[in-house]
Amino acid sequence: MAKIKREDVIDEALELLKEGGLEAITTRRLAQRLGVESATLYWHVKDKATLLGEMASTIIARYHTIKTPHDTEQWEKWFMDHAYSFRNALLAYPDGAMLHAGSIPTFNDLVQLAPKTEYLVRAGFSEREAQMAMLTMGQFTLGSVMEEQTRNKRRILKSSQMEKVKESQRDTDMDTLTSDVMNTIENEAENAFEFGIQLIVKGLKK
């Protein structure tokens, strides 16, 4: 039987995630890939929830690497860059947003959050405002990416589906409106994300 480490379990689980999304993550399949019995996995992660949390934390550690600057004069730019960095990390794997949303934050995740809220406090926000700003940005980013990944996964907006919607609209004006809206949803996820983050920043500046 193969000897494995905790890091091996997490890395192989991430490979399964890359290949088939969250539905591909089962202890049986993971054990088979690692060449061990399923029970062996629990020496390294106590349950599946812990495994998913470690996977989410590892993705963030590898892809969400933006630093917190000392200068607070351009906090708006840092805030937006931070949001984009988080978005890119979630998009690095299929179901990345769903994985992160459903996981339990690790101690390291919470440790990494502290200097970010402290940065906003130094920029002039109260501690409560800084915490809520980070929470709002995080939840908006999660929801935005989750919508994008779910839509892509289910192929809801294929041209054939758009045609079905069009066929159900007898009014020409409504047909054009429907087509325009669906085209925006399908092709402008990043633009919509940027618009939303800009709105959050504008609200924080008031």
Side-chain angles (χ1 to χ4, degrees):
M1 185 178 295
K3 291 183 178 181
I4 60 173
K5 298 180 294 185
R6 185 183 182 89
E7 293 77 11
D8 298 327
V9 176
I10 296 169
D11 286 342
E12 196 60 44
L14 288 173
E15 283 299 312
L16 281 173
L17 181 66
K18 183 181 293 184
E19 293 171 10
L22 277 175
E23 294 176 359
I25 309 297
T26 66
T27 53
R28 179 179 179 182
R29 186 173 295 150
L30 182 56
Q32 290 176 340
R33 293 275 291 256
L34 290 166
V36 298
E37 298 292 333
S38 296
T40 303
L41 298 178
Y42 297 113
W43 283 96
H44 304 282
V45 288
K46 66 178 182 179
D47 51 34
K48 188 173 180 180
T50 300
L51 173 62
L52 295 177
E54 291 289 348
M55 290 168 62
S57 183
T58 299
I59 291 173
I60 294 302
R62 292 178 180 176
Y63 295 93
H64 186 31
T65 57
I66 187 171
K67 304 298 182 183
T68 304
H70 177 73
D71 184 8
T72 61
E73 288 188 6
Q74 293 187 322
W75 69 264
E76 301 100 323
K77 182 180 184 304
W78 172 83
F79 191 85
M80 293 191 65
D81 289 345
H82 184 281
Y84 264 100
S85 176
F86 185 35
R87 178 178 186 268
N88 291 337
L90 297 176
L91 287 170
Y93 285 84
D95 293 334
M98 185 70 72
L99 169 68
H100 192 88
S103 65
I104 301 172
T106 65
F107 175 76
N108 186 59
D109 293 332
L110 298 177
V111 168
Q112 295 297 320
L113 179 61
K116 298 172 183 179
T117 55
E118 290 172 2
Y119 172 78
L120 290 177
V121 170
R122 288 193 287 109
F125 295 93
S126 69
E127 185 172 349
R128 171 69 173 173
E129 289 171 337
Q131 292 173 346
M132 292 304 294
M134 294 302 299
L135 178 62
T136 300
M137 180 274 293
Q139 291 185 340
F140 170 75
T141 304
L142 272 174
S144 177
V145 175
M146 194 179 300
E147 172 71 17
E148 183 177 354
Q149 289 183 321
T150 302
R151 187 167 62 244
N152 291 340
K153 184 176 180 180
R154 295 179 180 175
R155 302 177 184 274
I156 293 176
L157 296 176
K158 271 191 170 182
S159 59
S160 59
Q161 294 294 329
M162 293 181 69
E163 290 302 321
K164 290 180 180 179
V165 173
K166 288 181 179 180
E167 290 172 4
S168 69
Q169 304 292 342
R170 295 183 178 181
D171 185 272
T172 303
D173 292 336
M174 180 60 72
D175 180 72
T176 301
L177 175 61
T178 301
S179 179
D180 289 345
V181 169
M182 294 187 73
N183 182 66
T184 299
I185 294 173
E186 181 179 17
N187 298 312
E188 298 199 43
E190 185 169 353
N191 290 337
F193 176 77
E194 181 177 3
F195 185 80
I197 289 297
Q198 287 176 343
L199 285 179
I200 293 173
V201 169
K202 288 180 181 178
L204 291 171
K205 291 172 69 175
K206 291 183 178 179

